[in-house]
Amino acid sequence: MLTYMEVHLYFTLPVIGLLFYVLKPFHSKQDTLKYQFLTLMAVSTASVWDNYIVYHKAWYYCPTCVVAVIGYVPLEEYMFFVIQTLMTVAFANLVMRWHLPTFYIGVNVSISQSLVVKFVPIFGLLVVAYKAWYAAVPGKPLFYGSCILWYVCPVLALLWYGAGEYMLRRPLAVLTSIIVPTIYLCWVDQYAIGAGTWDISLKTSTGKMVVTNLPVEECLFFTMINIVLVFATCAIDRAQAIVHLYKSQSIHQRKQDQPFLQQMSDLVWAFCLPDQMLDNDILKDVAASWDILRTSSKSFYTASAVFASHDRLDLGILYGFCRATDDLCDDESVPVEKRKDQLKVTHQFVKELFSQKTNTPVIDWEFYAAQLPSSCVSAFKTFTRLRHILQVDAIEELLDGYKWDLERRPIVTQQDLYQYSACVASSVGEMCTRILLHNNDTGVHTNDRCILERAREMGLVLQLTNIARDIVTDSQELGRCYLPTDWLLKGEDELIATGKARQIGEPRLLNLSKKLIQDGERIMVTANKGIDQLPRNCQGGVRAACNVYAAIGTQIKQANERYATRAHLKSYGRSKIALASVYNVHTNTLKKARQGKIRSFIV
């Protein structure tokens, strides 16, 4: 005979352990809140409900198969309330985390359509709950099934109000999150009933079976409870996304300083808020920024998927700003003087944004719309939400790098190369790290300076990889040579600057690109140390982004005959490296770089 505790030891706890191991690199404070709140709700409500139905003999257990009984219910049943909640919510997190909740919030649906979609199901659920309440007569065949329905249907009606439309926009993820745990728990239930651990009373159930030893009521219970848990997960995801995107934060306040009751109040506000009351322009601007990321950097887009949703959204917004401003300066179809004017406008925007001390900056967007492309203005608008996180110096440094390009200032020495790379890449590494430190604030800031220095070094490494990869591309498309001219032989700089980089010869291109990669390897030795000092849930994402770029460097190093015009990884390869990196099992060739004391190339 199988004891109830053995059911947990053999069937439920190992699954919980596996799910939490898989999710450990992705875990965030938002997930902790979700687990704690839903577990508290499950235990507090299910304890009363389960004692009620056991008192009325809806189901019973083998007295010798349980450790202890509290009230009318075994201790292991209270454990099950927690276990099912954690199992289903964790699985739903695993299924849904790969896409940002923000993009499933829809504002363009008409109010009339929204009212129909929202309140027709709510009315139906409440009618079912009403009828089930009166059908739940103790000792009658409909008792157990009716108790399940009056218990869950009002909760489903409430959750549908807060997240029904959100869930309809991602049906596959919602259905998968419900069906898989339900099938597994039904199988466990069938096995336990067959082993005599517990059983269902025929007096309070219909006696009908889905399959052998699996009563209809038990299948209904696991299905309905998992629907509640998945609906609740979606409702919290939607509410957290709205709070993060729409609730303005004080420029003097770190996230850790926000009181718990204030956090809960914000989530309730977001839960009750219909999509139609949200500012659609904000969602459009975020979508425009993410379109820039999706099309311009497949490597970063892939790696960003392993970050927590808040981090991923803000990093995508930062990337959109950096790419939009970079495109302003690199667009060869626009006269140089106009690009210089646009860079001045960008400087003006940054100065205007950071000079204001109010929580919500006042910007004359009509002025910028008249001066800049629409995609750039959208990126600027979303970028304003990062004002309380970033430092203006790093942004000005980035813009100085663009000025370097517009003036076509040559890179003469290796020190020039490092200085230019610090402007266009180290600054970005610093800004990314400030976002991660802010969104995952632990209250301990003693290592922040060191972490930021390592981030700047990592940005330098990634820029050297970019330059090594794009020697021919930069030559042909931009007429630019980012290699130090004192590395080049006579006439080579002129060939590269005139779009004829191929004419310096394949062996020479390979030699120069590998020299850049080797420089990056030396710097990576210390840069990698900063990853381990980041908040734990950020380490996997940063490691993934760096290892994807490192793999490009490996491809360059392994080329023996022909220099690839633009070395890249296929989608499968990027995803494989990203996932392996979050568990720190990816063997990064840059980690094998020669050890030793190296200088910091922070400029």
Side-chain angles (χ1 to χ4, degrees):
M1 184 172 288
L2 187 70
T3 68
Y4 201 159
M5 188 62 73
E6 287 175 328
V7 171
H8 288 323
L9 292 175
Y10 300 155
F11 298 106
T12 61
L13 291 177
V15 174
I16 290 286
L18 177 62
L19 283 171
F20 274 80
Y21 171 78
V22 171
L23 286 168
K24 183 179 178 181
F26 313 119
H27 186 77
S28 66
K29 292 187 295 185
Q30 292 75 37
D31 294 325
T32 298
L33 177 65
K34 193 185 306 180
Y35 291 132
Q36 291 176 343
F37 177 75
L38 293 181
T39 299
L40 176 63
M41 291 296 101
V43 172
S44 59
T45 59
S47 296
V48 177
W49 177 83
D50 211 10
N51 272 277
Y52 174 77
I53 66 170
V54 172
Y55 173 78
H56 289 290
K57 298 179 174 56
W59 71 275
Y60 56 90
Y61 52 89
C62 170
T64 61
C65 296
V66 299
V67 173
V69 177
I70 302 174
Y72 298 97
V73 176
L75 171 66
E76 295 89 338
E77 181 76 354
Y78 292 99
M79 291 174 59
F80 183 76
F81 302 154
V82 177
I83 288 171
Q84 182 178 6
T85 301
L86 294 179
M87 181 186 297
T88 301
V89 174
F91 185 76
N93 281 347
L94 181 62
V95 171
M96 296 184 184
R97 70 165 318 281
W98 308 106
H99 299 281
L100 283 172
T102 304
F103 298 129
Y104 296 98
I105 298 172
V107 178
N108 293 324
V109 179
S110 66
I111 295 179
S112 58
Q113 180 181 342
S114 178
L115 290 174
V116 171
V117 170
K118 185 174 291 187
F119 286 103
V120 169
I122 289 175
F123 177 77
L125 288 166
L126 294 179
V127 168
V128 171
Y130 175 81
K131 290 184 176 296
W133 176 263
Y134 286 99
V137 179
K140 298 296 182 180
L142 295 179
F143 175 72
Y144 186 20
S146 298
C147 284
I148 295 171
L149 292 174
W150 67 247
Y151 173 52
V152 301
C153 284
V155 181
L156 289 177
L158 177 64
L159 294 173
W160 188 264
Y161 173 82
E165 293 175 285
Y166 171 89
M167 291 183 287
L168 288 175
R169 298 186 186 103
R170 53 186 324 183
L172 182 59
V174 171
L175 289 174
T176 302
S177 300
I178 294 170
I179 291 171
V180 173
T182 298
I183 291 175
Y184 180 75
L185 290 173
C186 283
W187 174 76
V188 173
D189 186 63
Q190 179 192 21
Y191 189 91
I193 290 175
T197 309
W198 62 74
D199 208 345
I200 307 303
S201 172
L202 292 177
K203 291 183 179 181
T204 57
S205 63
T206 60
K208 296 180 180 180
M209 300 287 170
V210 177
V211 293
T212 305
N213 293 327
L214 181 61
V216 169
E217 288 81 1
E218 286 288 88
C219 185
L220 176 66
F221 171 80
F222 290 116
T223 301
M224 297 303 289
I225 295 300
N226 282 338
I227 291 175
V228 168
L229 292 171
V230 173
F231 277 25
T233 299
C234 290
I236 293 174
D237 286 345
R238 173 185 175 272
Q240 288 177 335
I242 290 174
V243 169
H244 184 67
L245 190 60
Y246 285 93
K247 272 286 185 179
S248 61
Q249 184 176 347
S250 169
I251 59 176
H252 304 295
Q253 182 184 45
R254 300 181 75 100
K255 286 203 169 185
Q256 188 201 22
D257 299 331
Q258 194 174 40
F260 174 77
L261 290 179
Q262 181 62 48
Q263 295 180 47
M264 296 306 300
S265 174
D266 289 344
L267 290 177
V268 171
W269 165 81
F271 175 85
C272 297
L273 196 66
D275 287 356
Q276 288 74 19
M277 292 184 66
L278 298 172
D279 186 346
N280 192 34
D281 289 340
I282 293 178
L283 290 172
K284 286 182 177 179
D285 291 335
V286 170
S289 292
W290 268 81
D291 284 341
I292 294 172
L293 170 60
R294 191 179 294 109
T295 57
S296 299
S297 179
K298 292 182 173 59
S299 296
F300 188 83
Y301 180 77
T302 300
S304 71
V306 301
F307 286 103
S309 60
H310 290 2
D311 298 336
R312 189 183 183 192
L313 178 67
D314 290 345
L315 290 172
I317 288 172
L318 173 62
Y319 184 92
F321 173 80
C322 295
R323 174 56 62 181
T325 50
D326 184 48
D327 289 345
L328 283 179
C329 299
D330 283 348
D331 189 354
E332 294 294 328
S333 65
V334 178
V336 173
E337 289 305 316
K338 184 175 181 180
R339 282 183 274 162
K340 289 182 178 180
D341 290 340
Q342 290 176 332
L343 182 59
K344 290 179 182 177
V345 172
T346 304
H347 271 287
Q348 179 178 337
F349 164 73
V350 172
K351 182 178 180 180
E352 183 178 1
L353 178 63
F354 282 87
S355 63
Q356 299 184 37
K357 303 303 180 183
T358 57
N359 289 338
T360 304
V362 178
I363 306 292
D364 182 4
W365 293 116
E366 291 185 0
F367 167 78
Y368 292 105
Q371 305 290 325
L372 302 170
S374 59
S375 61
C376 193
V377 175
S378 293
F380 281 21
K381 287 181 178 179
T382 55
F383 185 72
T384 59
R385 63 172 284 102
L386 303 180
R387 180 180 63 130
H388 61 285
I389 302 175
L390 305 179
Q391 296 291 324
V392 68
D393 291 346
I395 305 169
E396 293 287 357
E397 185 180 19
L398 175 67
L399 300 184
D400 287 342
Y402 299 153
K403 182 179 179 182
W404 190 312
D405 278 328
L406 281 174
E407 293 176 349
R408 304 192 74 83
R409 178 179 165 188
I411 294 175
V412 179
T413 65
Q414 188 171 11
Q415 185 60 35
D416 288 343
L417 173 64
Y418 294 146
Q419 185 177 352
Y420 171 78
S421 298
C423 287
V424 299
S426 295
S427 59
V428 178
E430 176 185 332
M431 289 188 282
C432 289
T433 304
R434 287 190 184 277
I435 288 173
L436 297 177
L437 292 175
H438 177 272
N439 286 351
N440 303 276
D441 187 15
T442 60
V444 179
H445 310 292
T446 54
N447 291 330
D448 284 5
R449 175 65 180 173
C450 178
I451 294 172
L452 291 171
E453 289 178 353
R454 300 290 81 75
R456 290 182 63 87
E457 289 179 338
M458 187 64 75
L460 180 57
V461 172
L462 302 188
Q463 180 62 17
L464 293 178
T465 303
N466 273 338
I467 294 173
R469 179 191 62 183
D470 295 339
I471 297 174
V472 171
T473 302
D474 290 336
S475 171
Q476 294 176 344
E477 296 181 4
L478 303 177
R480 285 285 282 160
C481 175
Y482 292 102
L483 297 165
T485 55
D486 62 6
W487 285 12
L488 303 176
L489 302 176
K490 184 178 180 180
E492 286 182 340
D493 57 337
E494 184 177 348
L495 287 172
I496 296 174
T498 55
K500 302 174 182 178
R502 283 284 178 196
Q503 294 187 18
I504 72 173
E506 299 298 327
R508 186 68 174 140
L509 285 171
L510 290 172
N511 179 267
L512 291 168
S513 61
K514 290 177 182 180
K515 186 174 182 179
L516 287 168
I517 298 299
Q518 289 167 358
D519 275 353
E521 289 178 346
R522 291 196 299 272
I523 303 169
M524 179 68 86
V525 175
T526 55
N528 259 331
K529 296 177 182 178
I531 297 178
D532 295 331
Q533 299 181 55
L534 288 168
R536 187 174 297 276
N537 65 294
C538 304
Q539 294 177 12
V542 175
R543 193 177 290 113
C546 296
N547 283 343
V548 167
Y549 264 90
I552 295 174
T554 301
Q555 281 192 344
I556 293 171
K557 285 183 64 178
Q558 291 175 347
N560 295 319
E561 296 181 359
R562 180 174 173 80
Y563 173 86
T565 299
R566 189 177 174 85
H568 67 281
L569 299 177
K570 293 182 178 180
S571 178
Y572 170 77
R574 291 194 302 270
S575 299
K576 181 179 178 181
I577 292 173
L579 284 176
S581 297
V582 299
Y583 298 103
N584 206 15
V585 296
H586 177 67
T587 303
N588 182 355
T589 55
L590 292 185
K591 290 183 180 179
K592 299 178 180 178
R594 177 173 58 83
Q595 300 293 317
K597 184 177 180 181
I598 65 168
R599 59 173 292 182
S600 172
F601 297 111
I602 308 303
V603 178

